[in-house]
Amino acid sequence: MALRRDPHVLVVGGSDSSGGAGIARDIETIASIGVRTCLAVTALTVQTHEAVMEIHPSQPDLVADQMRAALQANKV
């Protein structure tokens, strides 16, 4: 018997510690239409709704590896 796999959207973006934007908001929006997500994080931030205090970019190879792993784990 084959396993049923739900469709996924690959979300590629940065974090937002305030929750107002970035990957957290993308996941929330995509989930609201009933689709699952997998992700690759491009940056970590320290921010509020009013200001960004720090940005820590992810290494490009790490982002690429995250994307490959997410796509491999969620093949149709």
Side-chain angles (χ1 to χ4, degrees):
M1 173 189 335
L3 295 176
R4 182 174 171 270
R5 295 202 183 223
D6 296 327
H8 284 69
V9 171
L10 174 59
V11 178
V12 180
S15 71
D16 173 355
S17 53
S18 72
I23 278 190
R25 186 62 67 185
D26 294 340
I27 292 169
E28 192 175 289
T29 300
I30 294 163
S32 76
I33 60 171
V35 179
R36 295 186 53 150
T37 58
C38 50
L39 55 95
V41 180
T42 60
L44 298 175
T45 67
V46 177
Q47 65 187 85
T48 66
H49 294 300
E50 291 80 35
V52 177
M53 287 72 84
E54 294 182 44
I55 300 172
H56 299 272
S58 299
Q59 294 296 315
D61 289 347
L62 177 61
V63 176
D65 288 346
Q66 289 178 83
M67 292 171 70
R68 276 190 284 278
L71 293 172
Q72 181 179 7
N74 295 291
K75 284 188 213 179
V76 176

